[in-house]
Structure formats: structure tokens, C-alpha cells
Amino acid sequence: MQTEVIDIKTEYDRALEKSAEFLRHGEVVGIPTETVYGLAANTFDENAVKKIFLAKGRPADNPLIVHICDISGLSALVKEIPEKVKIMAKHFWPGPLTMIMKKSERISDTVSGGLDTVAVRMPKSEYARAIIKASGVPLAAPSANLSGSPSPTNAKYVFDDMNGRIPLIIDGGSCEIGVESTVISFAEDPPRLLRPGGVTLEEMTELIGEITVDKAVLDRLQEGAKAASPGMKYKHYAPRAEITLIKSDFENFKRLTESENGVTALCFDGEGERLHCPFVEYGDGNDGYSQSARLFDALRELDEMGAEKVYARCPDTSGMGLAVYNRLIRACGFKIRVL
Ligand code: TXA
Ligand code: MG
């Protein structure tokens, strides 16, 4: 299969026409969002949705997020809309927030991974919403990476993973947020945070009160335990390099990188030039948003450099830092050292 890439910034009309045409004909299209790129298909076309799993190599029990462009699209997807969801939607949609509810009979088991719930998000990206609108249906879309590798934050990375596997990628430039959306379940009360992302725990708690933080957010899922969010149990965001997360101040981190051979550092902006080893920087040490915007690119850059042994600086876990920490502990396979 030939994979065409259309730049929506320079060819807006053609990008929308072509993506709508493919989506209506049951094909999978790579689309930009403000978080990461997605692999989209018509939610109501089971064969099309199956092609997503095939293109990604994704396990069938890992459900997809359904993307809508308008709040009026929500009621067809869910059994009922809880009060707290209405409040959250008003405040954070469109945006990097995915809310899980009991699914309606229109959502197939293929989309929901066999669960009785469905995850829904209205992206902030104008391009994403224009593509959904042009297709005329809600779009089921996971991140556009091959299963297990870091989510792509630009069209080139989608192409690297999906060339020959899907017919079309829409290039909308770099993703502003750079890590995936926050996933929170309203199928229970208090709601449960399953994946931290572009909307922070603090912001949500301020709006709706108590939120349970699922164990898998900050830790490895215990052997045999049932994952509230199936995606949490799979190896994720993992570059080829072996990464260890180092909880320490900069001076101790520097000493560690100097005590061994063959080390590459994954550090904060401005720190690299003070080290004596190759490095990749992943944002301002005091700004979680700057880190999230850089993290997945930085992980792919480590691979491009051929890095083998990587020591990574540890982010602060408040605000947006929680999402960065959550991705990093998975990228390093939970190898953490405290100095
Ligand atoms: O920002 C994002 O959320 C991106 C863009 C494309 O929108 N999408 C994305 O999708 O990250 P994906 O499939 O890579 O991650 C969705 C996560 C997975 O961990 C999945 O297990 C979980 O959400 N999930 C989806 N539906 C669920 C459900 N009904 N119950 C529990 N977890 C669910
Ligand atoms: Mg993903």
C-alpha cells in the first residue's frame, strides 16, 4: 500500500476531502491532534476499526478512544451522561481530556475492547475537529505509533511507523502538548484517573472534587492484577535504549554519568553542556508543559543517536509533571534509582 502525506496547512481543502473520502470508505487515516497523532477510522464501521488494530499491531483487548467534534455527538455513544461529565465537558472540551462512561449499544466490542464502557474525547486541534466533521462520523483513534513504541508527535514519526500500512497521513505540524490526553473514568464515583495527561489532576479536582488515582498511574501493575485501563498493562513508550530514571539532584546525577562508560543523559534544558557525555534534553526542569512537549521526541532521538545506556533526570510529579513521570517510568520499564 502507498502511503500519501498531505499537509493540511498548505492544502486544507484537499486534506479534508481526501481524509473524508478514505474514512467513509472504511479506511484508516493518520490525523493530527493537540496531544499526539491518531490512527482514525469510522467508529460505527467494525471492519474499518479492525484495520486500526492490524496497522498498529495492537492487542484486541485494548480499547480505543472515540473522537467527536461537537458535544451533540456524545449522547449516541453512551448510555447516560453523568452530571460530573457535563461539568467537565463544559470546562475542558475541546481539549486533551478523555472521559469514560457506560457505552451505548452503538459501540461495538471491537471499539471498547470487550468492556461495557467507552472512552470519548473532543480534541482541541482545529484540524482534528475539521477532519471529524468532514467525515460525518465519530472517529475511533488510538495513538498513531506501532504498539509499544512512543506516540508520534509529528507526521514524520507517523510515517516512520505506518508507511505501507495505511493509505493517508494528514500532516498538521508538531503536536502542542506532546503526550496523550488525560483518561478519567466516570463509570464509577468518585471518578478514577487512569492516565494523567494534558488536563492536570489538580485542575480536575478543583472543579469536581474527589478523584481516585489508579495505582497504575504511579507504579507498575502488579503481576496478575486486572488493569482498569488495559493500555496500562502493556510495555509502552519504550525506545530501544535501556533507560534508568535517576531520582537525585543535578550534581549527583552528573557524578553518576561520569562514573561509568557509554552513558547518554536524558536531561533538562541547559544541563547537557555541563555534562561530559552525549545527551538529549527534554524541556525546562521547572515546567512540566515544556517537558511533555519534548519527551516523546527526545525518546525517539535517543534511538536515532544509537544510545544504549541512558540515565534520565526525574521530573517533579505535580501538575503536568505527573503525566511526564507516568510516561517516563514506563519508558524505563520501572527501573528507578534513588541517589
Ligand atoms: O491523546 C490521546 O488520547 C490520543 C489522541 C490520538 O487522541 N489517543 C490515545 O489513544 O492516546 P490510545 O489508544 O493510545 O490510548 C488510550 C488509552 C489506552 O490506555 C486504553 O487502554 C484506555 O485509554 N482506554 C480506552 N478506552 C477505555 C475504556 N473503556 N476503559 C478503560 N480504559 C480505556
Ligand atoms: Mg497509545
Side-chain angles (χ1 to χ4, degrees):
M1 184 188 294
Q2 281 274 40
T3 302
E4 188 184 0
V5 181
I6 302 180
D7 187 338
I8 194 167
K9 281 177 285 183
T10 55
E11 291 191 87
Y12 188 78
D13 290 341
R14 196 167 83 86
L16 290 186
E17 274 160 30
K18 270 271 185 171
S19 49
E21 189 184 316
F22 274 120
L23 290 165
R24 277 197 228 107
H25 286 94
E27 291 298 335
V28 176
V29 178
I31 66 166
T33 86
E34 76 278 18
T35 55
V36 300
Y37 276 72
L39 274 189
N42 177 357
T43 303
F44 301 136
D45 180 340
E46 227 181 310
N47 276 327
V49 173
K50 281 185 180 148
K51 288 183 189 170
I52 296 177
F53 286 85
L54 211 64
K56 260 185 88 86
R58 183 176 178 106
D61 70 349
N62 195 359
L64 307 178
I65 295 173
V66 178
H67 296 71
I68 54 177
C69 60
D70 195 283
I71 190 75
S72 64
L74 178 60
S75 53
L77 309 175
V78 301
K79 229 182 198 153
E80 57 177 352
I81 307 175
E83 253 342 283
K84 285 180 186 172
V85 169
K86 290 182 190 158
I87 298 169
M88 291 279 282
K90 224 178 187 162
H91 211 83
F92 296 118
W93 274 0
L97 174 72
T98 297
M99 293 193 274
I100 293 173
M101 286 157 265
K102 293 271 186 237
K103 72 174 187 175
S104 75
E105 62 288 347
R106 295 208 66 189
I107 299 295
S108 66
D109 279 344
T110 311
V111 170
S112 71
L115 299 174
D116 63 355
T117 53
V118 63
V120 188
R121 164 161 121 83
M122 190 199 297
K124 187 174 161 204
S125 158
E126 302 276 356
Y127 296 143
R129 275 184 288 137
I131 293 167
I132 301 166
K133 194 162 181 215
S135 77
V137 285
L139 297 180
S143 50
N145 50 293
L146 284 172
S147 208
S149 57
S151 300
T153 52
N154 60 51
K156 181 192 171 289
Y157 289 151
V158 181
F159 189 81
D160 287 350
D161 279 16
M162 291 298 149
N163 183 21
R165 293 172 170 260
I166 59 173
L168 180 65
I169 297 166
I170 302 299
D171 184 350
S174 298
C175 300
E176 182 192 332
I177 293 179
V179 298
E180 307 87 344
S181 62
T182 301
V183 177
I184 179 169
S185 175
F186 290 88
E188 57 188 289
D189 199 54
R192 178 181 293 265
L193 176 67
L194 300 179
R195 180 176 75 183
V199 173
T200 67
L201 177 61
E202 291 88 340
E203 288 172 312
M204 296 189 295
T205 306
E206 195 179 319
L207 189 68
I208 57 166
E210 188 184 355
I211 293 170
T212 310
V213 176
D214 196 82
K215 267 211 179 85
V217 167
L218 282 167
D219 211 345
R220 183 203 303 265
L221 199 68
Q222 291 307 307
E223 200 75 39
K226 190 172 174 295
S229 181
M232 297 274 198
K233 72 180 181 219
Y234 296 109
K235 190 172 172 225
H236 222 158
Y237 316 116
R240 284 183 291 276
E242 173 147 350
I243 306 182
T244 308
L245 189 61
I246 307 299
K247 290 190 173 172
S248 76
D249 59 18
F250 177 73
E251 288 310 320
N252 280 320
F253 178 83
K254 181 167 185 262
R255 232 168 275 138
L256 174 69
T257 61
E258 285 163 4
S259 69
E260 292 175 29
N261 290 324
V263 172
T264 304
L266 178 61
C267 57
F268 297 123
D269 291 353
E271 292 180 346
E273 63 180 27
R274 294 158 62 193
L275 299 168
H276 299 293
C277 64
F279 63 87
V280 172
E281 293 174 335
Y282 78 102
D284 182 334
N286 296 312
D287 178 0
Y289 288 93
S290 140
Q291 293 158 23
S292 75
R294 273 284 301 148
L295 181 67
F296 287 154
D297 288 4
L299 292 178
R300 285 189 185 243
E301 283 165 26
L302 286 170
D303 276 350
E304 284 163 8
M305 284 166 71
E308 283 172 8
K309 180 165 63 174
V310 176
Y311 288 134
R313 292 273 281 140
C314 186
D316 178 31
T317 57
S318 64
M320 194 60 190
L322 185 63
V324 176
Y325 181 79
N326 171 273
R327 305 310 188 274
L328 255 177
I329 56 178
R330 281 167 177 78
C332 72
F334 301 94
K335 276 194 307 299
I336 301 172
R337 266 174 74 178
V338 184
L339 298 183

